[in-house]
Amino acid sequence: MPPKLKPTVLLISLEKEDLLRELFADHLNALSTHAKTVEATTKKEALTLLKQKPLAAICTDAAITKPKNVNFAWQVASYANSGGFVVFAGLFALRTTRDEFDELMKTVFQQSWRMGHCEDDYCTFNSNCANEIVMVDEATKQYVKEVKVKAAFLRHVREIDQLYMPKTYAQGGTPVAMTDLGNGWVGFVGDMQGCEELVAPVLALSGLFAWALNYSA
């Protein structure tokens, strides 16, 4: 059971797409169960809420990757560097382009991650993932060992940062990843269809299982 005291998770939804709630209802409902969710639909609103230090900020669309929003992207990255969780999920993988994602990772988030191809593939849980945030006991109990998912796969992700790995995708990659960024974290869920089996990874990448563990302690 989630604790009565809930942390805040910020949803950054600058594109204001109704499709988010149509495809990712299970993900959003789970987030609302485990956290107080607040949604920002403008950059000004998002920056005001980021100053309140939510536990996590989830970019639910690809607006952050647009060149016109580069200054905003730097401020989101700064939030992560100072200890927050930034997650690219929801409609993000559906809406981003390879060039814009790669530039965001290279220039702003300073990660080696690059966008690969979109695949419909079976993926297996990576028991060698070494990320202490996503590998807490309460999280690992909820991960399915194998899932069929249509997703965008990231390239150049260290194996220890991959939560799931494809069984057959010849070029490798991962649909779910998380790594440290300064004092915080950055995560990616490439799910394109609101896969119910990937609800637990979304919660984990948002820091909610780790937070609940610390809270109960």
Side-chain angles (χ1 to χ4, degrees):
M1 292 291 291
K4 292 181 179 179
L5 177 63
K6 294 181 178 182
T8 299
V9 170
L10 170 62
L11 306 177
I12 301 177
S13 305
L14 303 187
E15 300 293 350
K16 310 170 191 171
E17 291 193 66
D18 293 336
L19 186 61
L20 176 65
R21 282 164 177 76
E22 294 176 20
L23 282 184
F24 293 91
D26 290 336
H27 295 216
L28 296 174
N29 289 338
L31 284 166
S32 294
T33 297
H34 289 78
K36 174 187 175 184
T37 57
V38 293
E39 188 171 28
T41 57
T42 68
K43 288 182 283 187
K44 181 179 180 180
E45 186 180 15
L47 293 174
T48 296
L49 291 167
L50 283 174
K51 289 178 182 178
Q52 299 175 19
K53 299 297 182 183
L55 176 67
I58 302 177
C59 298
T60 68
D61 56 46
I64 192 174
T65 68
K66 304 303 178 184
K68 67 179 182 180
N69 293 327
V70 64
N71 290 334
F72 174 72
W74 276 106
Q75 292 178 82
V76 174
S78 176
Y79 154 79
N81 269 293
S82 65
F85 292 80
V86 171
V87 185
F88 303 104
L91 295 173
F92 183 89
L94 268 174
R95 299 298 187 232
T96 192
T97 68
R98 181 175 300 164
D99 288 345
E100 289 177 341
F101 177 83
D102 290 356
E103 185 64 21
L104 180 74
M105 290 299 105
K106 177 183 177 181
T107 304
V108 179
F109 284 86
Q110 300 179 341
Q111 299 294 322
S112 63
W113 297 356
R114 298 295 182 266
M115 185 62 67
H117 295 290
C118 298
E119 297 287 333
D120 192 352
D121 204 353
Y122 285 95
C123 295
T124 56
F125 172 67
N126 176 24
S127 59
N128 292 323
C129 179
N131 189 300
E132 66 269 26
I133 297 295
V134 298
M135 295 300 283
V136 296
D137 286 345
E138 187 56 36
T140 57
K141 291 175 184 176
Q142 299 191 42
Y143 299 147
V144 296
K145 301 306 178 186
E146 182 175 301
V147 58
K148 189 173 190 293
V149 60
K150 181 177 181 180
F153 286 74
L154 294 185
R155 299 178 293 119
H156 305 316
V157 180
R158 298 182 305 172
E159 182 177 345
I160 60 173
D161 292 332
Q162 300 179 32
L163 191 57
Y164 279 89
M165 305 175 73
K167 293 183 68 175
T168 59
Y169 182 34
Q171 299 184 57
T174 178
V176 183
M178 186 180 196
T179 193
D180 60 296
L181 181 66
N183 292 320
W185 303 89
V186 58
F188 173 87
V189 181
D191 179 16
M192 293 180 162
Q193 296 181 322
C195 179
E196 184 179 357
E197 289 82 0
L198 292 184
V199 167
V202 170
L203 298 177
L205 268 62
S206 301
L208 288 164
F209 290 127
W211 184 92
L213 179 65
N214 292 332
Y215 173 79
S216 62

